[in-house]
Amino acid sequence: MANKKNFYFKKNDSGFTLIELLLSAVLLLILIGPLLAFLRAGQINRSVTVKTTDLEQNARAAMITMGRDITNAGFNFAPQFSLGSVTLVNALQGGNNILTPVIPGNNLNPVNTSNSSGSVVTNSTDQITLVYVDQTFNNGLPVTGNYNLVGPGAQFTLTSGMLTGLFPGDLIFLNRGTVFSIATVTSIAGNVITINTGDFSGLNKFGAMDPLSSLALPIAGLPVQPPILLYKFFFITFFVDQDGNLIRRELLAPPHTTIGGPNNVADARTYNCAATCYYDNIIATGIEDLQFTYSVNGAQPAVTPIDDPGAGGAATNLGAAPLYRLNDIREVNVSLKVRAADRDTVVRDKNSPGAKNGYYYRFSLDGTFGVRNLYQTNYVPDLN
Amino acid sequence: MKKNKPQRGFSLIEILIAIVIITIGLVALSGALVVGVTLPQKSRQQAIAKQIANNIMETIIAAKESAKTGFDTFATFNSTMPLVAGRFTGGVQNLLTPGPDGVYGTCDDGTTGVYNPVCGSLGTQLVMVDVDPGPDGKYQAPFNVDNTKLPLLNFTRQVEITDINNATKQIDVTVNYPNPLGGRDKVVLSTQITNFRLLSGS
C-alpha cells in the first residue's frame, strides 16, 4: 500500500495547488449551473403570478362594481313610469329631456395605451350611464304635489310625503299621467321646490315642446287633475379617461348640508362643480379597452343600440334597421381589457422590440348583467 | 510538548467525489424546485378558470333577471321530451362560446348566427381569451385580426340545473382545467335562482 503511492493519493502536508482549486471550482459550476435555471424559472413564474393575480383581482372588482350598478339600472322605474313610450324615445332623438335606465355611449372616450413596440395608441372606449331611483329618498316611493307655475321658475308644492334628503341640484323625475320629465331642483323652501333654468346640468328646459312645460298643462277630460309624482334618482356613468382609469361618476347636487340652507359646511366628498357636479371614483386602472354590447328584449343577439346619445345627450346616430330602443335593453355585456400598471422587468418579451425594458401583462375579462328595466315586455322591432 | 497532528487536506479526488455527491443531492432536491416552478402556472390556470366560472354564472343569472327567456328554460334540455322547454345541455362539454342567446351551458353554445328558440346542436367555437392586442395595440373590431388569442382548449364546463321546488332551482357550474402538475382540477360555483320578479308595468 505504501509502495503504491501515486500523485493524487500521496499523503503529504501540502494543500491544493491553485490549478487544482480552480479546476474543482469550474467543475462545481458546470455541475450546479443548470440547477440555477430552475431558480430563474421560479423567479419568473413568481413575478408573473404576483402581477397577473393583482391585475385579475382588480379587474374582477371593477366588474362587480359595474355589475351592481347595471343590475340596479331602471330599479323602481317599473311599473310607475312608462319609459317604453315612443314619445320619450323620440324626445331623445330630438335632444330633449328623456330618461332611460341605460344610456349607452359608443366609442366616446379615447384612451391612450401602447402597442407592442411601445408606441402610443389611442383606443376608443364605450361609456354607459345607469339611472335608478334613489331608495334613500322617501323609501324609493314618489312624493306627490302640485305644479303651480308654468314656465321657468315653476314650483312644485308638496301635498304628501316629506322632502327630507332632497337638496338643490338633485336630479328628480316628475310624472303626471302620460307626461314624464327629469329636472334639477333649483331651490327648496319649505314644501315648495322651484325649478328654474340655468341649472348646472342644463336639464331644466321650458320650451313649448318640453315635458317640463307639458307637466303644467291640464289633462283634458279630467275634472280633477291628478297630482304630480316626484322621484329622486341616481345618475351613474362608467367611462375610461385617457390615462386608462375606469371611473364611476355619480352626478350629484352641489355641496349642501340642509334643505334650502347655505352651502357653508363642506361635504366629506370632493365635488367637481366646474361644469356639472359629480363625484368621481376610480375603480380600476390600466384599462386598455372597455366595450359594452347590449341584449335587448326577446333574446335577440347582442347589439349596440342605435339611440346613441352624443354631446348633450342628443342622439347622434339614428342607425339602420332594426332599430333597437334603449328601453328594450335587458342585458349589458361588458368586455374589459386591462394591462398591468408597470412593466415586469423580470420577464423580458424578446418578441417585442420596443418592450426590451420589460413585459406588460394583459388580462381580458367579460361579464354579463341583467338590467332591472322590467317595464316593457312587448318588444317590437322597429323596421323603419 | 504535544505533537501537532499531521496537516493533511482532502485530495483532489476526494473533493471531486464530494462534488458529485452534492450534485446528486441537489438534483434530487430539484424535484421540489419543479413544484415551485409549476405551482404559479397552476394558479394562473386556476385564475382563468375562476373568471370563466364567474362569467358563466353571471350570464345565467342575467338571463333570469332580465327574463329574456322564461323561467322554465332554466332546465336541462331533453330531446325525447319536447314539452320540456329547458335549454341547458347538462353534462360535461368543451368550453364553448355562449352562442346567440348569450348564455353559457345552453344548446346553442359554440354556434353563431341568429338566436333560435328551438334547440339545435352545439357548435364548435371555443372560448378565446384575448392575451394581447397585437402590434396595433387595439382590441376591438376591425383591429382585432392581429390579436393574440388563447383558445381554452383543454377546459371543460358543466352546468347542471336541478329543481328544488317549482319556484327555486339550483345551479352548479363546474369548470375543469388541466393542472400543469398533471391531472385536472376544477372550480365549482353554486347558487340558487327563484322565479321572483317585479311585475311588469302596464
Side-chain angles (χ1 to χ4, degrees):
Chain A
M1 180 88 179
N3 295 331
K4 284 224 164 192
K5 281 181 191 170
N6 59 32
F7 174 78
Y8 298 107
F9 285 100
K10 71 181 176 185
K11 306 294 183 194
N12 60 18
D13 289 350
S14 64
F16 299 126
T17 67
L18 183 60
I19 298 294
E20 287 168 344
L21 205 60
L22 290 176
L23 190 66
S24 65
V26 167
L27 279 170
L28 187 68
L29 281 178
I30 290 172
L31 288 168
I32 294 191
L35 288 178
L36 296 177
F38 283 109
L39 292 175
R40 170 67 180 155
Q43 184 193 19
I44 288 174
N45 264 303
R46 180 179 149 69
S47 184
V48 170
T49 306
V50 167
K51 300 248 180 198
T52 53
T53 304
D54 201 31
L55 194 64
E56 287 156 6
Q57 286 178 347
N58 284 341
R60 173 52 64 180
M63 186 67 85
I64 289 169
T65 305
M66 280 193 287
R68 196 161 47 221
D69 283 322
I70 290 170
T71 304
N72 280 336
F75 184 56
N76 218 16
F77 278 9
Q80 294 90 343
F81 296 147
S82 173
L83 287 172
S85 81
V86 174
T87 310
L88 276 173
V89 178
N90 284 341
L92 166 70
Q93 293 172 351
N96 280 331
N97 303 338
I98 65 96
L99 191 64
T100 53
V102 179
I103 306 172
N106 193 30
N107 288 336
L108 288 181
N109 308 304
V111 54
N112 294 326
T113 175
S114 62
N115 64 10
S116 53
S117 59
S119 309
V120 173
V121 176
T122 301
N123 280 330
S124 298
T125 62
D126 289 353
Q127 76 176 35
I128 189 170
T129 299
L130 307 162
V131 185
Y132 52 96
V133 168
D134 183 353
Q135 294 299 300
T136 63
F137 174 69
N138 202 37
N139 291 324
L141 298 172
V143 296
T144 55
N146 295 316
Y147 213 46
N148 295 358
L149 292 173
V150 180
Q155 291 184 324
F156 173 93
T157 304
L158 189 73
T159 56
S160 154
M162 289 174 67
L163 296 184
T164 308
L166 193 69
F167 300 98
D170 273 345
L171 298 164
I172 53 173
F173 193 98
L174 298 164
N175 164 226
R176 183 168 73 176
T178 56
V179 183
F180 312 89
S181 181
I182 50 175
T184 307
V185 175
T186 305
S187 64
I188 304 175
N191 281 338
V192 179
I193 298 169
T194 303
I195 300 166
N196 212 336
T197 52
D199 60 308
F200 72 89
S201 51
L203 289 171
N204 297 347
K205 295 176 183 170
F206 292 93
M209 296 300 291
D210 286 323
L212 271 182
S213 299
S214 309
L215 275 174
L217 300 177
I219 300 174
L222 290 181
V224 178
Q225 294 297 313
I228 294 178
L229 306 178
L230 182 149
Y231 293 78
K232 179 175 178 245
F233 63 88
F234 283 123
F235 203 81
I236 288 162
T237 302
F238 288 98
F239 68 99
V240 182
D241 72 7
Q242 61 180 10
D243 299 323
N245 299 313
L246 175 57
I247 295 172
R248 178 186 188 271
R249 170 170 293 181
E250 188 177 343
L251 211 55
L252 291 171
H256 52 252
T257 52
T258 55
I259 295 176
N263 303 327
N264 56 358
V265 179
D267 191 289
R269 295 186 288 188
T270 303
Y271 296 94
N272 182 335
C273 282
T276 56
C277 291
Y278 51 82
Y279 173 64
D280 279 356
N281 192 8
I282 298 177
I283 60 170
T285 57
I287 305 298
E288 287 198 306
D289 204 356
L290 173 68
Q291 297 292 324
F292 295 104
T293 52
Y294 303 88
S295 295
V296 297
N297 201 2
Q300 297 294 310
V303 292
T304 299
I306 55 81
D307 288 341
D308 172 13
T316 56
N317 168 21
L318 294 184
L323 196 63
Y324 295 111
R325 302 296 194 190
L326 299 184
N327 290 307
D328 295 319
I329 292 173
R330 290 294 176 271
E331 283 180 12
V332 179
N333 310 297
V334 187
S335 177
L336 196 60
K337 314 287 185 191
V338 293
R339 196 192 67 188
D342 48 359
R343 293 174 190 272
D344 186 347
T345 51
V346 174
V347 182
R348 291 168 200 279
D349 181 16
K350 291 170 186 164
N351 299 323
S352 302
K356 59 180 182 293
N357 294 325
Y359 186 70
Y360 274 130
Y361 291 110
R362 292 180 156 95
F363 190 64
S364 168
L365 188 59
D366 293 316
T368 302
F369 304 97
V371 177
R372 291 201 210 185
N373 170 22
L374 300 175
Y375 169 68
Q376 284 285 356
T377 51
N378 54 339
Y379 166 75
V380 179
D382 187 335
L383 301 176
N384 288 334
Chain B
M1 183 177 172
K2 198 174 179 181
K3 193 180 178 182
N4 282 340
K5 284 182 178 175
Q7 296 182 334
R8 283 192 298 116
F10 299 118
S11 74
L12 182 60
I13 290 293
E14 286 165 346
I15 291 292
L16 290 177
I17 290 170
I19 288 173
V20 168
I21 290 171
I22 288 171
T23 308
I24 290 169
L26 284 175
V27 167
L29 280 179
S30 70
L33 283 173
V34 170
V35 173
V37 167
T38 48
L39 265 181
Q41 191 64 32
K42 184 198 169 189
S43 67
R44 175 94 178 113
Q45 300 281 76
Q46 192 179 37
I48 292 177
K50 276 182 183 171
Q51 306 290 6
I52 296 289
N54 261 318
N55 196 5
I56 290 174
M57 191 63 98
E58 277 165 4
T59 64
I60 295 168
I61 292 172
K64 180 261 158 182
E65 291 272 330
S66 62
K68 68 177 182 182
T69 59
F71 194 68
D72 289 344
T73 62
F74 295 92
T76 304
F77 169 69
N78 188 337
S79 59
T80 61
M81 293 174 65
L83 290 177
V84 178
R87 288 185 58 80
F88 288 81
T89 60
V92 178
Q93 308 284 351
N94 287 331
L95 197 54
L96 299 167
T97 57
D101 67 359
V103 184
Y104 285 94
T106 50
C107 53
D108 67 354
D109 279 14
T111 64
T112 55
V114 181
Y115 170 74
N116 184 353
V118 180
C119 272
S121 52
L122 291 172
T124 55
Q125 287 206 322
L126 293 174
V127 172
M128 306 270 270
V129 174
D130 274 313
V131 177
D132 190 282
D136 63 4
K138 290 174 184 288
Y139 280 103
Q140 55 171 304
F143 308 106
N144 53 356
V145 283
D146 66 346
N147 290 5
T148 310
K149 282 176 173 289
L150 175 71
L152 299 179
L153 280 173
N154 296 313
F155 282 58
T156 63
R157 58 114 176 107
Q158 184 173 5
V159 178
E160 295 296 348
I161 297 180
T162 43
D163 285 356
I164 291 177
N165 54 45
N166 285 343
T168 314
K169 291 170 190 283
Q170 166 97 18
I171 300 176
D172 298 293
V173 173
T174 307
V175 173
N176 197 299
Y177 62 97
N179 184 342
L181 291 176
R184 300 180 69 83
D185 275 325
K186 64 184 177 184
V187 173
V188 182
L189 290 182
S190 295
T191 192
Q192 291 181 2
I193 59 171
T194 72
N195 66 356
F196 172 77
R197 278 186 71 202
L198 293 174
L199 289 174
S200 295
S202 55

